[in-house]
């Protein structure tokens, strides 16, 4: 539940905007207004750290006017823009560097127009199947209980012969999505990490056991299931810690669900991200030592610090062996 909700005035002209306004009034949440969801100036916070926390406690309800969708490689063809940011406070999150000093949570109420845009892309590319990512710049599950954006999207893609949907979450309030007629067209993914990394760096998110319990429900509901292990952080007894995580996942699922996928992303950071992290989380224990990394230019043209090639190969070999040991039928989609 947000601490405050700020409505773009045009959002109140949409049924979902009206519904959310009434809901938050009933919940006695502080309500404010803005002329543009891109420019919100009423969020408090004198320091960078205070502004960051208050932004995470703020929900902005707006109307998306941009008709085009951003691309989303390697996980999908396009982003499906339903929401931005999330209330979680993960110390390593890359969104801290591109969502401003107060990264408020934002949802769009013109869902029908957004899904119509997705239909247009599907029509252009068929008979090729077009895949849309619903969590490229957000975790959409925390707002689902009152916004219902994922429910709308899952039902929409369930009816699309040439359209597929996927999203990833750390959160577990997913019971409202279990009975939706998805037709196997939505891949429901959970972000996992070791218990120690979740405890140290993924503040305000559910523990590993809760995520795995939710994943078991999703698999039982017939959704294609995936796990995103990210970021893989090499510190301490990392081999034992990740093996324990895989053991817990295998025990929770009771085997390998059909079509299970893994996406594996190692920890990396930009110099700008490092500065932001150290400002928001002074004294962080996150490994940000540039000397121990390799500098590499990414697909978006900016440089980042990644693990050296020899260590990357060691990580690749070890995680492939873990997947093969605990989930023999699963597919590793990529490791970067």
């Amino acid at each position: 539940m947000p601490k405050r909700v700020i409505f773009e005035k045009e959002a109140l002209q949409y049924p979902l905007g009206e519904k959310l306004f009434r809901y938050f009034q009933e919940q006695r949440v502080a309500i404010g207004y803005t002329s543009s969801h891109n420019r919100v100036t009423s969020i408090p916070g004198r320091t960078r750290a205070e502004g960051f926390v208050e932004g995470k406690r703020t929900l902005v309800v707006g109307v998306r006017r941009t008709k085009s969708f951003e691309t989303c490689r390697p996980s999908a063809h396009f982003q499906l823009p339903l929401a931005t940011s999330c209330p979680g406070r993960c110390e390593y999150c890359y969104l801290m560097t591109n969502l401003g000093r107060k990264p408020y949570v934002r949802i769009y109420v013109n869902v029908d127009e957004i899904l119509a845009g997705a239909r247009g892309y599907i029509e252009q590319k068929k008979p090729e199947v077009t895949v849309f990512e619903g969590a490229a710049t957000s975790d959409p599950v925390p707002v689902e209980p009152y916004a219902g954006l994922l429910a709308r999207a899952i039902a929409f893609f369930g009816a699309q012969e040439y359209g597929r949907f996927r999203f990833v979450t750390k959160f577990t309030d997913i019971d409202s999505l279990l009975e939706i007629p998805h037709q196997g067209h939505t891949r429901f993914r959970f972000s996992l990490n070791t218990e120690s990394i979740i405890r140290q760096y993924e503040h305000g998110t559910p523990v590993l056991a809760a995520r795995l319990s939710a994943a078991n429900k999703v698999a039982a509901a017939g959704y294609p299931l995936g796990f995103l292990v990210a970021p893989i952080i090499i510190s301490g007894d990392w081999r034992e810690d990740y093996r324990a995580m895989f053991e817990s996942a295998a025990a929770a699922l009771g085997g390998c669900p059909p079509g299970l996928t893994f996406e594996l992303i190692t920890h990396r950071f930009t110099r700008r991200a490092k500065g932001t992290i150290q400002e928001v989380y002074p004294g962080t224990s996150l490994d940000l030592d540039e000397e121990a990394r390799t500098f590499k230019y990414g697909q978006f043209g900016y440089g980042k610090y990644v693990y050296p090639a020899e260590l990357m190969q060691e990580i690749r070999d070890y995680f492939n062996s873990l997947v093969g040991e605990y989930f023999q039928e699963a597919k590793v989609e990529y490791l970067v």
Side-chain angles (χ1 to χ4, degrees):
M1 185 62 65
K3 183 177 180 180
R4 66 187 65 82
V5 182
I6 300 171
F7 285 86
E8 190 177 44
K9 292 181 180 179
E10 188 178 337
L12 298 172
Q13 300 174 17
Y14 288 80
L16 179 56
E18 291 183 323
K19 172 190 169 185
L20 291 171
F21 184 79
R22 291 194 301 270
Y23 173 78
F24 288 115
Q25 273 192 321
E26 292 170 358
Q27 299 297 320
R28 299 185 181 279
V29 175
I31 291 176
Y33 303 94
T34 182
S35 58
S36 171
H37 63 75
N38 290 315
R39 188 173 184 273
V40 179
T41 59
S42 56
I43 301 172
R46 292 173 296 175
T47 67
R48 182 70 179 267
E50 288 176 356
F52 176 82
V53 171
E54 291 299 331
K56 290 285 188 173
R57 295 172 175 171
T58 302
L59 175 68
V60 174
V61 181
V63 177
R64 179 179 169 85
R65 296 171 182 82
T66 305
K67 303 300 181 183
S68 61
F69 292 2
E70 297 290 336
T71 57
C72 191
R73 297 293 186 179
S75 65
H77 294 104
F78 300 103
Q79 299 178 19
L80 188 74
L82 300 174
T84 307
S85 191
C86 90
R89 303 184 304 281
C90 300
E91 292 188 22
Y92 53 74
C93 183
Y94 76 96
L95 294 178
M96 281 200 286
T97 61
N98 61 7
L99 289 182
R101 299 179 69 86
K102 298 176 180 179
Y104 53 84
V105 182
R106 174 171 48 193
I107 58 176
Y108 300 111
V109 295
N110 53 328
V111 190
D112 291 336
E113 296 170 11
I114 293 169
L115 295 177
R119 184 182 290 110
Y121 282 105
I122 293 170
E123 289 296 318
Q124 289 175 21
K125 293 178 69 67
K126 74 178 189 182
E128 179 185 349
V129 171
T130 306
V131 183
F132 296 82
E133 171 63 63
T137 59
S138 71
D139 188 322
V141 168
V143 301
E144 182 63 17
Y146 46 78
L149 302 175
L150 288 173
R152 296 280 299 278
I154 291 168
F156 169 82
F157 282 99
Q160 303 302 311
E161 182 178 1
Y162 299 105
R164 298 293 184 271
F165 183 47
R166 66 204 313 268
F167 64 93
V168 64
T169 184
K170 291 182 173 76
F171 290 84
T172 55
D173 194 355
I174 48 84
D175 288 357
S176 65
L177 303 175
L178 299 179
E179 302 297 326
I180 296 173
H182 55 79
Q183 308 303 327
H185 291 183
T186 291
R187 180 169 293 279
F188 206 131
R189 297 131 69 218
F190 284 88
S191 177
L192 304 183
N193 223 311
T194 70
E195 292 183 345
S196 62
I197 288 173
I198 292 172
R199 183 175 60 254
Q200 289 180 72
Y201 304 121
E202 298 185 356
H203 312 299
T205 67
V207 297
L208 176 62
R211 299 182 201 183
L212 292 173
S213 176
N216 191 41
K217 292 180 182 180
V218 164
Y223 280 97
L225 180 66
F227 288 132
L228 174 70
V229 184
I232 297 168
I233 295 177
I234 305 305
S235 65
D237 297 326
W238 67 272
R239 286 174 173 269
E240 291 78 6
D241 289 345
Y242 281 108
R243 175 173 289 278
M245 185 201 77
F246 270 83
E247 287 179 354
S248 296
L253 295 180
C256 184
L260 178 67
T261 60
F262 280 86
E263 297 160 82
L264 309 171
I265 303 177
T266 56
H267 179 243
R268 66 274 319 282
F269 60 90
T270 64
R271 184 163 291 171
R272 178 185 173 196
K274 176 180 176 178
T276 300
I277 291 166
Q278 292 176 331
E279 192 173 0
V280 173
Y281 294 102
T284 180
S285 62
L286 195 63
D287 176 18
L288 299 170
D289 182 6
E290 296 175 18
E291 297 298 321
R293 303 293 182 110
T294 296
F295 187 77
K296 178 182 178 182
Y297 281 101
Q299 61 176 316
F300 300 110
Y302 56 82
K304 53 192 172 185
Y305 293 91
V306 302
Y307 290 124
E310 185 176 335
L311 180 54
M312 283 293 293
Q313 187 60 53
E314 182 180 349
I315 295 168
R316 181 173 288 102
D317 292 343
Y318 187 63
F319 275 84
N320 282 335
S321 72
L322 288 177
V323 173
E325 180 178 350
Y326 291 100
F327 299 101
Q328 292 183 0
E329 304 302 317
K331 175 186 177 183
V332 176
E333 293 194 329
Y334 57 83
L335 188 153
V336 295

